[in-house]
Amino acid sequence: MDLNKILSQLESSDEEETEKLLEQFNRENSHTFIFEKKEETLRSRLCQSVLTVLGRQVQPSCQRTCLETLRILSRDKHVLKPVATREGMLILGRMARLQPGEDGGDNQESTQENTQSDEEERVVIEALKCLCNVVYNSPAAQQVSVDVQLAHGLCRGLRTASTWNHEVGLFTLRLLFLLSALRPDVRGVMRTELHAIKLLTEVLEHTLDVRWVGPYEAAPPDPQTLPMPAEDNERAMEALKASFNLTLSCTGGEEDDHQFRLIAAILRHLLMQRTKTEEKTEEAHSHAVNLLNNLPVSCLDVLIDLPVQGGQEKYGGKNMDAIQVLLDFMEKRINKQGSNYKEGLSPVLSLLTEGSRHHREIRRYIKAQVLPPLKDVKIRPEIGSTVRNKLVRLMTNVDMGVKQTAAEFLFVLCKESVDNLLKYTGYGNAAGLLVARGLLAGGRGETQYSEDEDSDTEEYKTAKPFINPITGHVEEPMQNPIEEMTEEQKEYEAEKLANMFDKLSRQNVIRPMGVRPDGTLAPLEETLCDAPVEVSGSDSD
């Protein structure tokens, strides 16, 4: 439909004609996401005309149609100037029942509870969808949202989460997520003044149907219970994403510590639940892992300290069910072909690393699963299908971040002992970490661990003298390539090799390096100067 025609008719149309005109536009463009540049000015004028209609007292059905038009137009970030104004954002905020620009106290009753009809509820949903698009696509609208205190209205809305229609809740949480992601200054206001973390925690409690049986301990899901409904899962994911933004760089405190422990307990409950599809369950676990990474590491004991449900005696009575879920999630992410390891795998590796570093029982449990006592040392550490083999392969990944995260994880499982790490990975795979940590000369990291020692299997003790420390396995005997050479041939090959190294060194292709006494790399000439000089007790040559 021609935009010029729509604009000319809108000027003289009554409410009923306006609604029919815009309904036709909506039908024709419901699946349009890429617009012609030459009509930008016309679409911008249409935005202004629709806002003008919404500013009048029109029926809910007409409001909904206007908002649907605005939602379609808001897919184009180049036409949002009329909307990204104080007047435009106030109109949308009022339609969404967020009361932007009004000073509402904590006890103010949200008018969402007073929605009288399905039609009026659809108006609220469409207005929230429009706001999501506009805030996402327009930096100017983001600034106006701050000026009209849109965050205050959103947080007031969180107080009535138990009465939400699914879509009202979903898009309220999504708008909160977008605003907190795009405006770091709003994050601080939400966190300190509006207590949004506490409100989101309550939303998660209600959505996930958490029943407390002890301090920071939720009742386990009934095995006979049906999987989490898709709508509840969808709202929970939006609440987790918003919570992630708000817990970034939190300084903490006594009140925050209690709140963080509550969140950790809720996330443990979420890890133990299942949804209708494996894909949705994995998505839920991914968001849970991301949020757990933001919490102080001291709060991770909530994942295993469950007095009512009990645990395994060999791990100090701690319950390791949630840790096993995280290990299973980690392996799924490793196995996912073509995935982005940095985004998909690094968060869970970092979480398990910090949990192992600061909680002895977590480290002992994970090590038993990932690095069991060695028996067969005839195969290289990176070859095979065990979790250990997969993690060792990641130690030489092309992505530096993934490579370092995987190596650090295994290093912590080995109690930051270089000797133990080399036993499980071989020197070649571990060299990158050892260089970065200045541990080429051996030793330990800086973290303090318990004194209990790992016991080696009889098979490992027998094979240990024959293990190649570089590859980490027992190699088959190989024929010496210079056995049949004459002395002249050997001398020729040695001289040829020395000349090649000299040429590469002079061209700065390679640089001979040595290891200082403190375990760091340095140019060979420097390490030779640093080496202690041994004085012979004999005067003979």
Side-chain angles (χ1 to χ4, degrees):
M1 189 174 185
D2 183 57
L3 284 176
N4 278 309
K5 184 179 178 182
I6 294 176
L7 289 166
S8 62
Q9 291 183 8
L10 277 177
E11 292 177 4
S12 56
S13 297
D14 59 20
E15 183 178 324
E16 186 177 345
E17 291 171 340
T18 296
E19 190 173 345
K20 288 180 180 178
L21 199 61
L22 294 179
E23 279 178 349
Q24 184 179 349
F25 174 85
N26 296 345
R27 282 195 301 271
E28 292 176 1
N29 294 278
S30 60
H31 299 294
T32 302
F33 291 89
I34 298 175
F35 298 89
E36 292 185 23
K37 188 172 178 62
K38 64 181 181 181
E39 293 187 331
E40 274 182 14
T41 304
L42 294 176
R43 288 196 301 278
S44 184
R45 285 175 55 197
L46 182 56
C47 281
Q48 182 61 65
S49 298
V50 170
L51 283 171
T52 302
V53 175
L54 287 172
R56 304 177 197 147
Q57 294 295 323
V58 294
Q59 292 299 310
S61 62
C62 183
Q63 290 177 340
R64 188 190 69 178
T65 302
C66 288
L67 288 167
E68 286 176 353
T69 303
L70 206 55
R71 171 168 56 82
I72 292 168
L73 292 170
S74 66
R75 295 167 184 168
D76 181 3
K77 62 184 177 182
H78 300 293
V79 302
L80 294 178
K81 189 174 180 180
V83 190
T85 60
R86 184 179 180 86
E87 181 187 7
M89 295 299 286
L90 285 173
I91 289 173
L92 289 180
R94 282 195 289 270
M95 295 281 135
R97 305 291 175 90
L98 296 177
Q99 293 83 44
E102 298 177 13
D103 185 18
D106 287 347
N107 296 320
Q108 179 177 335
E109 182 180 6
S110 171
T111 53
Q112 284 181 10
E113 295 178 309
N114 300 324
T115 300
Q116 296 298 313
S117 67
D118 290 343
E119 192 65 61
E120 288 173 332
E121 201 166 65
R122 292 306 309 171
V123 169
V124 173
I125 294 166
E126 282 298 330
L128 286 167
K129 288 180 179 179
C130 280
L131 282 168
C132 286
N133 279 3
V134 172
V135 168
Y136 178 72
N137 282 320
S138 170
Q142 295 161 22
Q143 180 58 55
V144 175
S145 298
V146 177
D147 297 339
V148 301
Q149 298 186 332
L150 193 64
H152 291 65
L154 287 168
C155 289
R156 283 196 297 272
L158 294 181
R159 300 180 191 280
T160 60
S162 58
T163 66
W164 277 346
N165 161 285
H166 165 62
E167 286 189 288
V168 170
L170 178 67
F171 290 104
T172 298
L173 290 167
R174 187 165 294 173
L175 183 55
L176 185 70
F177 161 70
L178 288 170
L179 203 53
S180 61
L182 297 167
R183 293 293 303 212
D185 53 335
V186 176
R187 253 181 254 159
V189 173
M190 287 183 180
R191 196 164 51 223
T192 56
E193 295 181 24
L194 304 177
H195 309 292
I197 294 177
K198 182 175 183 292
L199 294 171
L200 286 167
T201 305
E202 291 169 359
V203 170
L204 284 167
E205 273 188 72
H206 171 74
T207 306
L208 299 174
D209 192 25
V210 176
R211 291 173 292 109
W212 300 108
V213 295
Y216 311 122
E217 182 176 0
D222 188 337
Q224 304 302 319
T225 304
L226 293 173
M228 190 195 310
E231 290 186 348
D232 288 352
N233 182 65
E234 212 173 357
R235 290 198 307 280
M237 295 309 97
E238 293 298 332
L240 289 174
K241 285 155 57 179
S243 299
F244 174 84
N245 289 342
L246 295 176
T247 52
L248 281 170
S249 307
C250 266
T251 54
E254 189 172 333
E255 185 179 345
D256 285 338
D257 186 67
H258 166 68
Q259 200 62 49
F260 291 152
R261 286 179 171 275
L262 272 180
I263 293 172
I266 292 170
L267 293 177
R268 185 194 184 279
H269 180 71
L270 175 61
L271 288 171
M272 304 312 297
Q273 286 192 316
R274 57 194 177 94
T275 61
K276 290 188 175 180
T277 67
E278 190 174 331
E279 183 182 349
K280 288 293 181 184
T281 300
E282 189 175 336
E283 181 189 2
H285 290 177
S286 177
H287 288 305
V289 165
N290 290 338
L291 184 49
L292 281 168
N293 268 306
N294 279 0
L295 304 184
V297 72
S298 59
C299 296
L300 297 184
D301 61 354
V302 172
L303 298 180
I304 60 175
D305 194 7
L306 307 172
V308 176
Q309 297 172 48
Q312 297 170 275
E313 188 176 339
K314 63 192 282 191
Y315 298 110
K318 305 299 183 183
N319 188 307
M320 295 294 169
D321 293 346
I323 303 302
Q324 186 58 54
V325 171
L326 291 173
L327 283 172
D328 294 339
F329 174 77
M330 176 193 75
E331 190 168 7
K332 281 180 187 173
R333 286 297 170 97
I334 293 175
N335 293 340
K336 191 169 281 191
Q337 297 295 324
S339 65
N340 185 336
Y341 280 153
K342 190 167 187 177
E343 292 182 5
L345 178 62
S346 291
V348 69
L349 280 176
S350 296
L351 176 64
L352 293 175
T353 300
E354 291 307 305
S356 299
R357 181 177 274 127
H358 292 90
H359 298 279
R360 177 173 177 263
E361 292 83 4
I362 292 178
R363 182 189 60 76
R364 287 181 59 220
Y365 180 81
I366 294 177
K367 186 176 182 189
Q369 309 300 312
V370 175
L371 298 177
L374 287 175
K375 292 183 178 180
D376 185 2
V377 287
K378 292 183 179 179
I379 302 173
R380 294 170 71 107
E382 67 271 22
I383 295 175
S385 58
T386 66
V387 181
R388 169 192 163 223
N389 302 142
K390 296 169 185 175
L391 286 166
V392 173
R393 284 198 289 272
L394 288 176
M395 293 175 78
T396 54
N397 192 276
V398 293
D399 187 304
M400 189 61 71
V402 174
K403 171 181 173 178
Q404 291 174 345
T405 308
E408 189 74 17
F409 176 51
L410 292 175
F411 192 44
V412 168
L413 292 185
C414 294
K415 296 194 287 190
E416 299 191 24
S417 164
V418 172
D419 290 343
N420 280 345
L421 180 67
L422 296 182
K423 179 172 77 173
Y424 287 103
T425 69
Y427 192 90
N429 292 312
L433 173 75
L434 301 183
V435 169
R437 297 285 294 262
L439 292 169
L440 281 171
R444 284 183 175 272
E446 297 176 357
T447 310
Q448 297 296 317
Y449 293 92
S450 57
E451 293 300 321
D452 56 312
E453 294 298 326
D454 301 316
S455 56
D456 293 327
T457 62
E458 289 300 321
E459 294 93 332
Y460 177 77
K461 289 177 181 177
T462 303
K464 187 176 180 180
F466 309 104
I467 295 175
N468 183 330
I470 303 299
T471 61
H473 80 303
V474 176
E475 295 180 336
E476 293 294 328
M478 297 178 63
Q479 183 180 358
N480 189 337
I482 65 172
E483 265 184 4
E484 298 180 1
M485 285 187 182
T486 65
E487 290 302 318
E488 290 79 7
Q489 287 175 317
K490 292 177 186 177
E491 187 176 340
Y492 171 76
E493 291 296 335
E495 187 176 343
K496 181 179 175 184
L497 185 61
N499 289 334
M500 289 169 63
F501 274 115
D502 181 60
K503 182 178 179 182
L504 291 172
S505 178
R506 282 188 282 105
Q507 293 176 348
N508 289 324
V509 176
I510 63 171
R511 189 177 187 185
M513 305 290 281
V515 182
R516 289 195 181 105
D518 64 359
T520 57
L521 283 175
L524 186 59
E525 57 270 18
E526 290 183 24
T527 58
L528 290 175
C529 293
D530 293 340
V533 178
E534 294 185 9
V535 180
S536 173
S538 170
D539 293 333
S540 60
D541 292 331

